[in-house]
Amino acid sequence: MHFNTHFNDIAQSYLFSTIAQKVAAYSAAHPGREILRLGIGDVTLPLAPAVISALHSAVDDMADKSTFRGYGPEQGYDFLREGVRGYYLSHGVELEPDEIFISDGAKSDIGNILDIFGEGNTVLVPDPVYPVYVDTNTMAGRRVLYMNATEINGFLPMPDYSVDADIIYLCSPNNPTGAAYSKAQLKEWVDYANAKGAVILYDAAYECFITDDGLARSIFQIEGAKTCAVEFCSLSKTAGFTGTRCGYTVVPKALVRDGMSANKMWLRRQTTKFNGVSYIVQRGAAAVFTPEGMRQIAANLAVYRANAKLIADCMDELGIWYTGGKNSPYIWLRCPDGMGSWQFFDYLLENIQVVGTPGAGFGANGEGFFRLTAFGSPEVTKEAVAGIKSLLKK
Ligand code: PLP
């Protein structure tokens, strides 16, 4: 017996543990000082009332013999898939119900989808990157190539036809950089993938933050995407489901390679290894897609958008270069005065007790950059922004 030795190749991530240690050490040395956390990518507002009411009534369903549910369809109940289908339609994307698979969140499916890909595939990811794309492939022994996301390309790398990639990860709006591809840029990616026979794994976890028409809510808004892309999305950020857990993955029927259908393989994979998301959670999720649910989540998203604007306006005032802030809950800024990511982290913590995330933790190109998030409360965000302004205004 031997374990999967590829696990030895996964880089240890010390990012969030180092942040936690530094904050704990600071708090121990300065008891009673409030820490203003704009680092973590978790939401802070509670679930919408329509979701809560649907969850309660689903619990009642489970208490009654006539409405009790046991195992459900692995790919999700029709009532939720119809909700997701309607959401896509509202963005001009037509999907068949069985192209939609309900998940317990984007992260699981982003990892699990690799079951349907051959081992020898070459993977292309941006640097900086959401680490899940790299680690899941490293675990499977795949070769990972990086493309540079930098200030020069606005942290939006474009296809290079001299690179032969099989699996391409695109995340837009991006974590950690907040940068979002335009529809025209995504068309170039779709054309590249179709020309190379590659597949784009498109992470749309932050699509709900997009307000500009020229940006894509879904890769399937781009002509030709159904023959080359799989899309992952989530209610985590859209509707505060980070702890409740529900998302969806779209695998188009037109995505076929060597006579093999990605949709059929993914269904086979899911029916073999997954027994579906709980009925109660799916009822709660379906409430998100009702007119009432949509109105309520819009109000929550408006709070996060206002936080993002506050931070972005502060950067504008200070003359600090950044991406995101608009169409994204993340603000990715260049550390002032040539400071390194961790140096700036310490500077903010020690002087104004603001905690962000050092960009260097997301890849080599993140060095010298820093991520702030809009998911804090408006009060904490205002206080943090006021502190940043007075600290950095020269
Ligand atoms: N994709 C990106 C880019 C994320 O930042 C996150 C979570 O922060 C996820 C996926 C995972 O989302 P979920 O909560 O749906 O698993």
Side-chain angles (χ1 to χ4, degrees):
M1 197 299 285
H2 57 274
F3 286 123
N4 177 353
T5 54
H6 296 306
F7 274 64
N8 294 326
D9 304 328
I10 305 167
Q12 289 305 316
S13 173
Y14 300 109
L15 179 61
F16 289 100
S17 59
T18 307
I19 291 173
Q21 278 163 17
K22 279 177 177 277
V23 173
Y26 180 86
S27 292
H30 305 86
R33 254 196 226 167
E34 193 198 353
I35 305 288
L36 304 169
R37 291 173 202 275
L38 297 186
I40 205 95
D42 201 353
V43 294
T44 49
L45 290 169
L47 295 173
V51 171
I52 294 297
S53 139
L55 289 170
H56 279 298
S57 109
V59 169
D60 290 341
D61 288 348
M62 297 303 257
D64 187 324
K65 204 171 173 184
S66 68
T67 48
F68 169 79
R69 309 280 181 126
Y71 289 121
E74 291 89 344
Q75 59 275 41
Y77 283 104
D78 286 345
F79 62 76
L80 179 52
R81 296 206 290 173
E82 275 308 316
V84 174
R85 203 164 81 95
Y87 187 63
Y88 272 91
L89 259 183
S90 74
H91 301 135
V93 175
E94 273 189 53
L95 298 174
E96 293 177 41
D98 50 0
E99 292 180 309
I100 299 163
F101 296 78
I102 303 304
S103 70
D104 64 351
K107 194 181 195 175
S108 315
D109 276 14
I110 288 168
N112 294 336
I113 195 79
L114 294 176
D115 277 3
I116 73 166
F117 289 91
E119 280 166 24
N121 286 318
T122 296
V123 175
L124 184 63
V125 300
D127 168 9
V129 67
Y130 176 58
V132 173
Y133 314 148
V134 175
D135 292 350
T136 49
N137 279 287
T138 307
M139 283 173 192
R142 282 195 196 86
R143 193 162 78 101
V144 178
L145 304 177
Y146 290 88
M147 48 185 166
N148 287 322
T150 64
E151 203 174 324
I152 294 162
N153 57 26
F155 286 91
L156 293 169
M158 296 303 295
D160 171 355
Y161 278 78
S162 71
V163 174
D164 286 317
D166 302 305
I167 306 173
I168 302 154
Y169 287 84
L170 298 180
C171 174
S172 178
N174 191 271
N175 179 14
T177 71
Y181 282 110
S182 69
K183 287 177 184 164
Q185 286 173 316
L186 280 182
K187 175 74 176 125
E188 288 187 42
W189 272 113
V190 165
D191 289 346
Y192 167 89
N194 278 322
K196 295 275 185 189
V199 171
I200 295 172
L201 299 182
Y202 191 78
D203 187 341
Y206 298 96
E207 59 79 26
C208 61
F209 285 93
I210 290 177
T211 47
D212 290 2
D213 265 357
L215 305 180
R217 298 289 295 258
S218 159
I219 194 156
F220 300 118
Q221 289 176 316
I222 312 302
E223 197 197 330
K226 283 189 177 169
T227 53
C228 69
V230 171
E231 179 161 294
F232 306 90
C233 200
S234 169
L235 294 181
S236 283
K237 310 300 155 79
T238 308
F241 270 58
T242 51
T244 309
R245 310 304 305 147
C246 197
Y248 44 93
T249 298
V250 176
V251 188
K253 291 184 182 168
L255 179 53
V256 176
R257 293 286 182 277
D258 301 326
M260 296 178 82
S261 154
N263 180 282
K264 282 192 181 141
M265 289 171 74
W266 181 241
L267 178 63
R268 188 71 172 88
R269 188 271 171 209
Q270 290 297 78
T271 51
T272 304
K273 294 196 185 181
F274 186 55
N275 255 339
V277 175
S278 101
Y279 168 73
I280 297 167
V281 168
Q282 290 194 59
R283 280 288 183 201
V288 171
F289 298 105
T290 61
E292 191 192 12
M294 281 285 137
R295 263 197 312 277
Q296 292 171 354
I297 63 159
N300 285 0
L301 291 172
V303 171
Y304 298 138
R305 281 201 191 101
N307 288 343
K309 183 171 182 331
L310 207 64
I311 302 170
D313 287 349
C314 166
M315 296 304 140
D316 285 336
E317 200 179 316
L318 294 168
I320 292 175
W321 189 92
Y322 66 95
T323 47
K326 206 169 166 229
N327 303 300
S328 165
Y330 295 119
I331 292 89
W332 175 257
L333 58 112
R334 188 173 56 207
C335 301
D337 302 327
M339 275 191 251
S341 296
W342 281 105
Q343 198 185 353
F344 188 56
F345 175 91
D346 291 336
Y347 185 66
L348 290 185
L349 176 62
E350 276 156 27
N351 289 286
I352 52 170
Q353 295 75 55
V354 168
V355 175
T357 311
F362 298 100
N365 286 329
E367 182 51 276
F369 289 84
F370 200 75
R371 191 190 76 175
L372 293 172
T373 91
F375 289 122
S377 70
E379 297 72 33
V380 165
T381 309
K382 269 184 207 126
E383 208 179 327
V385 163
I388 292 171
K389 260 187 212 169
S390 64
L391 181 69
L392 299 182
K393 216 173 216 166
K394 299 269 159 58

